[in-house]
Amino acid sequence: MKKFLNYLKLRDKLLLMYVLSVFIPIVLTNVVFYHVTTSNIRNQKIRDADMALNNLKNDLRVIIDQGVGFSYSLYADSIFNKTITRKFTSEKDYVETFNSYLRGALADQNVQGVRWYMVYTDNPTILSSGYMDRLTGEVRQSDWYTQSQASSASYPAFIYSDQNFSLIQRLNNYYTNGIEQLVKIDLNMERIHQIFYGSAFNGMVYLVDPQGIVQFMNDTANLTEDVPFKDISFPKKSLTFKNVYSGINYLDGWTLEGVMDEESVLKEVRKSRSFVIWLACINFVLPSIIIAAMSRSIHVRLVRILKHMKKVKAQNFQTIPSEEARDEIGQLTIEFNRMTETINSLINEVYVADIQKKNLELKQQQAQLHALHSQINPHFLFNSLESVRMRSIIKGEKETAKIIQHMAKMFRQSISWSHNYVTVREELTLIESFLEIQQYRFGDKLEYSIVADPAALGQRIPKMVLLPFVENASIHGIESSPDKGIIVISVAVQADKLIFRLEDNGIGMPPDKLEELLRYLEDCDDIGERVGMKNAYCRMKLCYQECFAFSMNARYGEGTSIEISLPLLEEKPE
């Protein structure tokens, strides 16, 4: 059998394949296919309806969860809860607190699923303003407040009142000093209408509360108040669907009920009958004509492509003569010629040029790194300082000699770049020498502390990569501050990262200056005036690429904090 097939021409194989695989199976399976198709269409319609109802359920829950998330954020905010339970000494005291904190805490909430929200409290010292209101007797008599009192749980109550869905969250997570306070969140009814009316469910959809009452539907014109779902009459041949909110405490007992007329499903089924008949006719006639007409063209051109592929195997990159053909085989011929020319070009030109380009880029990076190193390489200063230190010792000026010795350590490190990496212990020793010099300069105005995780001391980092940031904190932060300056340095290992933190209580900087400084650090092409910090940042960028993290926060008049996260080096760098 195999030998017989191998001797058949491609045209004959296509014809035989059609008879055995298409014609005979279609004749035998047309009747079965019709019945299976009709059954599948009906089942698919049912599955689609169930999926559409489930999607509507999920979309509605997304909107509700957005409001619940907002309510929980206020419920868990200890500062907010303590503020609204506070006894304010005067109206001015409350207004100042509202403008400085409460307005921002409430106005900054931008939740898509929430239309309106209000915090109610019976704190007599709070004024009705903005997002705050008094919990008066009139409010307590409202329908939504009465419904919310039926639940004493810590999670929000989901209710429907005054044609609005609302979430009522008691704010009693912390000590309230006998004050009742809650937040009322009205959901975006326009969005809920869009979800119900835009649903793919081809029928009526009802949102039923735990008591079995229909609260909302996709035909609100026919909705009457307090109608039990079980009392609604439907056509005899109706398909019903039910989707229950389970496992969600604030939606416990709520259900989505869907009702679809079965006639709409059967209508689609009947349409498939004529479709099957026409499809069978097309499958009988057209394949025979197409296979007979196209087999010769396919066979001849495939054989020609095969011959040229064998030539490529022998490294003969001869192209196929071009012809006017736009079908797949013609495109295959064009792509084969293009591939042949590309392979030949890559071997002779592109491969060598790419290697040369990569070598050039590597040399440029190395040259840039060495240029950055050379900026902090003042050999002559070390020799001068050593002479001054010896003279101070001879004259008995021990304190001056000690400070000069610290300076000599720093310059000894700066003039030696035989090793680009040092241990954290060596870097901290250098930083301590610098801070001793600054303490000598500022006296009691400067205090510092260095806390290092023992596991971090042996880790290796680029040389003098942390010192410039300490120098910036001392010179630009502490020097201009009229108060006593404090610099706190910590180094620790967290997971696979080395974390360096630097904090000072200096003058800090305004946001626009901070943003300008961060942009300046990112641009490694222009070193500018602040060589130290820019040098250290660019060397980290060259050494770690995108594997390091740098963050800097500052407030004017309060100080600056810097955090640097470096990956741990597995092997000792050269």
Side-chain angles (χ1 to χ4, degrees), residues 51-70:
M51 183 179 297
L53 189 64
N54 188 62
N55 290 338
L56 190 151
K57 170 192 172 185
N58 293 334
D59 292 341
L60 179 61
R61 182 184 172 183
V62 167
I63 294 178
I64 298 173
D65 283 350
Q66 289 173 346
V68 171
F70 173 42

Side-chain angles (χ1 to χ4, degrees), residues 315-350:
Q315 297 185 0
N316 180 1
F317 300 101
Q318 181 181 356
T319 59
I320 302 174
S322 60
E323 62 178 5
E324 293 185 1
R326 296 183 179 181
D327 61 358
E328 287 78 6
I329 297 180
Q331 294 178 10
L332 181 62
T333 302
I334 295 173
E335 293 302 324
F336 174 83
N337 291 338
R338 186 178 299 159
M339 180 190 69
T340 303
E341 294 171 354
T342 302
I343 292 174
N344 192 29
S345 175
L346 286 173
I347 292 176
N348 296 327
E349 300 175 7
V350 179

Side-chain angles (χ1 to χ4, degrees), residues 257-307:
E257 303 280 357
V259 180
M260 178 185 294
D261 188 359
E262 190 175 10
E263 185 62 27
S264 63
V265 177
L266 296 177
K267 183 180 179 180
E268 295 295 330
V269 172
R270 295 190 184 100
K271 289 181 180 179
S272 65
R273 182 184 303 169
S274 59
F275 171 78
V276 172
I277 295 174
W278 280 106
L279 182 62
C281 294
I282 293 174
N283 287 336
F284 289 152
V285 178
L286 287 183
S288 300
I289 298 174
I290 294 173
I291 290 176
M294 302 297 297
S295 60
R296 177 175 174 77
S297 174
I298 295 173
H299 176 72
V300 172
R301 288 185 291 168
L302 284 177
V303 170
R304 183 175 58 179
I305 293 174
L306 180 61
K307 290 180 180 179

Side-chain angles (χ1 to χ4, degrees), residues 20-196:
L20 297 178
S21 303
V22 179
F23 184 83
I24 294 177
I26 287 178
V27 172
L28 296 177
T29 59
N30 261 348
V31 175
V32 177
F33 175 75
Y34 173 75
H35 290 288
V36 171
T37 301
T38 56
S39 177
N40 287 341
I41 291 176
R42 184 179 185 278
N43 294 335
Q44 184 62 45
K45 285 289 183 180
I46 294 175
R47 287 194 296 269
D48 291 344
D50 189 64
M51 183 179 297
L53 189 64
N54 188 62
N55 290 338
L56 190 151
K57 170 192 172 185
N58 293 334
D59 292 341
L60 179 61
R61 182 184 172 183
V62 167
I63 294 178
I64 298 173
D65 283 350
Q66 289 173 346
V68 171
F70 173 42
S71 70
Y72 278 154
S73 68
L74 296 180
Y75 179 75
D77 192 339
S78 61
I79 298 177
F80 176 81
N81 281 266
K82 292 177 181 178
T83 301
I84 64 175
T85 57
R86 168 185 162 192
K87 297 293 184 179
F88 296 93
T89 57
S90 63
E91 292 183 358
K92 179 181 179 181
D93 184 20
Y94 169 75
V95 171
E96 290 177 351
T97 303
F98 179 84
N99 291 330
S100 63
Y101 172 71
L102 290 176
R103 184 193 299 275
L106 293 171
D108 290 342
Q109 305 293 337
N110 185 15
V111 183
Q112 183 179 4
V114 174
R115 181 187 64 84
W116 177 88
Y117 53 89
M118 179 69 70
V119 176
Y120 291 94
T121 177
D122 59 3
N123 186 345
T125 63
I126 286 184
L127 304 178
S128 297
S129 56
Y131 301 93
M132 303 289 297
D133 201 355
R134 290 279 186 84
L135 190 57
T136 62
E138 181 180 356
V139 174
R140 287 189 170 94
Q141 292 177 0
S142 61
D143 179 60
W144 64 265
Y145 181 86
T146 303
Q147 291 188 51
S148 68
Q149 295 305 300
S151 172
S152 60
S154 60
Y155 50 82
F158 179 62
I159 63 172
Y160 183 79
S161 176
D162 298 329
Q163 297 184 349
N164 276 295
F165 283 108
S166 302
L167 291 165
I168 313 301
Q169 173 69 64
R170 299 175 183 272
L171 301 179
N172 58 0
N173 191 30
Y174 300 92
Y175 177 69
T176 61
N177 197 22
I179 294 175
E180 182 182 2
Q181 49 200 23
L182 54 86
V183 58
K184 179 177 184 285
I185 301 172
D186 287 348
L187 300 181
N188 190 336
M189 291 303 297
E190 181 180 353
R191 178 65 181 140
I192 293 177
H193 278 85
Q194 291 175 355
I195 292 174
F196 272 78

